[in-house]
Amino acid sequence: MVSSSDFKVCVVGLGYIGLPTAAVIARTGVSVLGIDVSEQVVDTVNSGKVHIEEVDLDGLVSGVVARGSLRASTQIEPADVFVIAVPTPFKAGHQPDIGYVLKAATTIAAVLKQGDVVILESTSPVGTTEQVRDLLAELRPDLRMPGLTRELADVSIAYCPERVLPGRILVELIDNDRVIGGITPRCARKALSFYRRFVRGACVTTSARAAEMTKLTENAFRDVNIAFANELSLVADQMGVDVWEVIRLANRHPRVNILSPGPGVGGHCIAVDPWFLVAQAPEQTPLIRTAREVNDGKCDYAIARATALIEAHPGLPVACLGLAFKANIDDFRESPALKVALALARRFGERVRIVEPYAKALPAVFAGTGAKLIDLDEAIESCPVMVVLVDHELFKSVPLDERARKFVYDTRGIWPDQPTAVMAPVDLRLAS
């Protein structure tokens, strides 16, 4: 194995996964170059600071930048291992968009050399790693690519998805098991040697296609189970029953583990990735498609429920608690909480106040709505109506005596002792 001082890694994409990954690798003493299209991101990282909120990431980045192990640039340079960690959103009709992945591969092709390893970490449709290989083969016909030659390939190409939880990324990048899928078994072994430099969890090798589907399966599994909880909450409302009590009691069964309902599902993975499976096998995925529709529909239901509560108390200020897609992070991607709060802000204007402890300012989409960002104490003092959208620890800390007289719609079940009566189902047209 090449010594750390001579070994170079290039991470393409310095977002929520790319930057922590680059920093963790750099901590081992390896020279890491992070590539990003944003000059602002590059300048921030090179100053030893971070542009995203993640536990302990600021200190780690500051340290590895100060030691010279990590630097950032908008320009690609030669390396021994290239890690692609760019977004993979979906287009109209929930069709996967791998444009950023292919652009990253195009960038890498310019400096690729014999012996290099290219690893895709972005969550991708099955077959994307092979598309990266085919593109590299087209752009670099001087290099033998795995699976396209009977001779020993000049380059190794593999897929290894991230499996981390926001708020625990630095821990889970190291401790979680990794699934490493190679275009060929040799590619998988080359990638395995790289991950063994910084991963303590088990590293299991397989094919690239199996690894790609594994990642999609993990997120689809979560989405289906959350959809059951969300659908159960609709049934409980219809029956006039507290869904949180039902779930708590049902989970006392030794083989039942129902997840928690909410205002929908957000984030860059669970709200997006199941659509990749649906897009590639539409006839075989009615359950996965329905789960996505249930979870998206729960957001509309939450808007309608909140709207009914607000309209029942005309003129009163309303506090929307939370914008993030899950508790205790600053990530608003695909957040159902943000969608609900935005819909209410557009409908009720200046009556709406937003409490989000992980935001210094409201996202740009709230411009012109009249809504404003306030802190929790001000909300408790001035807002008789409250809509709980995120289960931040800060919100859970509010005691009953501070909210006993509030009119509350709690989408997260964080205040089970709240005296507000269970509301009857509402007309979903209120969401529009």
Side-chain angles (χ1 to χ4, degrees):
M1 182 180 292
V2 179
S3 67
S4 294
S5 59
D6 299 324
F7 191 70
K8 293 183 172 150
V9 176
C10 178
V11 177
V12 183
L14 293 177
Y16 283 89
I17 300 302
L19 180 57
T21 299
V24 166
I25 298 169
R27 184 167 57 188
T28 68
V30 170
S31 175
V32 180
L33 173 67
I35 301 295
D36 203 274
V37 296
S38 169
E39 291 274 8
Q40 182 178 359
V41 168
V42 167
D43 291 342
T44 299
V45 173
N46 283 334
S47 68
K49 298 178 182 177
V50 299
H51 59 286
I52 56 177
E53 186 79 24
E54 177 59 36
V55 176
D56 296 331
L57 181 61
D58 53 350
L60 176 58
V61 169
S62 176
V64 293
V65 169
R67 289 196 298 273
S69 298
L70 173 65
R71 60 190 177 88
S73 175
T74 59
Q75 301 299 314
I76 197 75
E77 296 178 14
D80 300 294
V81 175
F82 295 90
V83 178
I84 299 175
V86 295
T88 47
F90 54 69
K91 299 179 284 189
H94 298 118
Q95 295 300 306
D97 181 359
I98 62 169
Y100 295 113
V101 170
L102 298 180
K103 185 176 180 180
T106 300
T107 301
I108 290 168
V111 296
L112 202 61
K113 64 185 185 300
Q114 186 176 18
D116 286 353
V117 179
V118 178
I119 302 171
L120 175 60
E121 285 204 356
S122 306
T123 304
S124 303
V126 177
T128 301
T129 309
E130 292 170 356
Q131 291 187 57
V132 168
R133 183 271 315 272
D134 294 344
L135 178 59
L136 292 175
E138 177 186 343
L139 296 173
R140 294 296 304 273
D142 56 310
L143 295 173
R144 294 187 296 267
M145 294 295 164
L148 300 180
T149 178
R150 293 184 178 180
E151 302 176 71
L152 195 64
D154 293 322
V155 175
S156 297
I157 304 173
Y159 180 75
C160 182
E162 53 81 15
R163 321 168 94 179
V164 295
L165 185 69
R168 288 181 48 83
I169 291 179
L170 295 183
V171 173
E172 297 198 353
L173 278 175
I174 297 170
D175 291 341
N176 285 4
D177 295 349
R178 302 300 291 256
V179 176
I180 303 171
I183 293 287
T184 65
R186 183 172 180 270
C187 291
R189 290 192 295 272
K190 288 283 189 180
L192 171 64
S193 296
F194 167 66
Y195 282 101
R196 271 289 164 232
R197 289 174 174 268
F198 63 95
V199 173
R200 285 197 294 256
C203 292
V204 182
T205 58
T206 183
S207 68
R209 283 180 165 251
E212 289 164 341
M213 187 165 176
T214 296
K215 173 62 175 180
L216 299 179
T217 298
E218 292 166 357
N219 290 330
F221 174 85
R222 292 278 295 167
D223 199 42
V224 169
N225 281 270
I226 294 170
F228 176 78
N230 279 334
E231 189 167 277
L232 194 65
S233 72
L234 304 183
V235 175
D237 280 355
Q238 178 69 33
M239 303 297 180
V241 176
D242 182 351
V243 69
W244 310 102
E245 182 181 14
V246 170
I247 290 174
R248 177 176 57 82
L249 295 173
N251 282 348
R252 294 181 71 87
H253 188 289
R255 287 172 295 281
V256 173
N257 183 25
I258 303 169
L259 300 180
S260 297
V265 174
H268 67 294
C269 287
I270 298 178
V272 175
D273 302 345
W275 286 119
F276 294 2
L277 290 173
V278 174
Q280 291 188 286
E283 299 301 319
Q284 289 75 37
T285 51
L287 177 62
I288 297 172
R289 177 189 293 275
T290 300
R292 278 281 72 240
E293 292 170 348
V294 167
N295 286 332
D296 284 347
K298 184 61 188 297
C299 188
D300 292 334
Y301 182 83
I303 293 170
R305 281 283 304 270
T307 298
L309 176 65
I310 296 169
E311 290 185 340
H313 302 90
L316 297 182
V318 180
C320 292
L321 304 189
L323 294 177
F325 83 81
K326 64 177 296 180
N328 307 319
I329 62 172
D330 73 336
D331 194 341
F332 302 158
R333 288 176 293 177
E334 301 296 324
S335 172
L338 188 149
K339 293 175 185 176
V340 174
L342 181 59
L344 298 179
R346 286 173 173 167
R347 188 173 189 124
F348 297 103
E350 295 180 356
R351 290 180 62 190
V352 175
R353 322 289 164 80
I354 310 293
V355 182
E356 177 47 76
Y358 292 88
K360 295 179 180 178
L362 287 179
V365 290
F366 284 90
T369 63
K372 66 177 182 177
L373 185 69
I374 64 174
D375 64 26
L376 181 58
D377 288 335
E378 184 178 348
I380 293 171
E381 179 69 25
S382 64
C383 297
V385 181
M386 289 189 162
V387 180
V388 180
L389 298 172
V390 184
D391 47 342
H392 289 316
E393 289 296 329
L394 181 65
F395 301 157
K396 292 180 180 180
S397 70
V398 180
L400 178 59
D401 63 350
E402 287 191 318
R403 51 182 165 80
R405 296 179 179 275
K406 305 289 185 184
F407 303 102
V408 175
Y409 172 37
D410 182 359
T411 72
R412 295 289 184 174
I414 66 170
W415 295 336
D417 55 352
Q418 186 67 32
T420 303
V422 175
M423 294 175 60
V426 297
D427 189 341
L428 278 177
R429 286 174 294 183
L430 289 170
S432 61

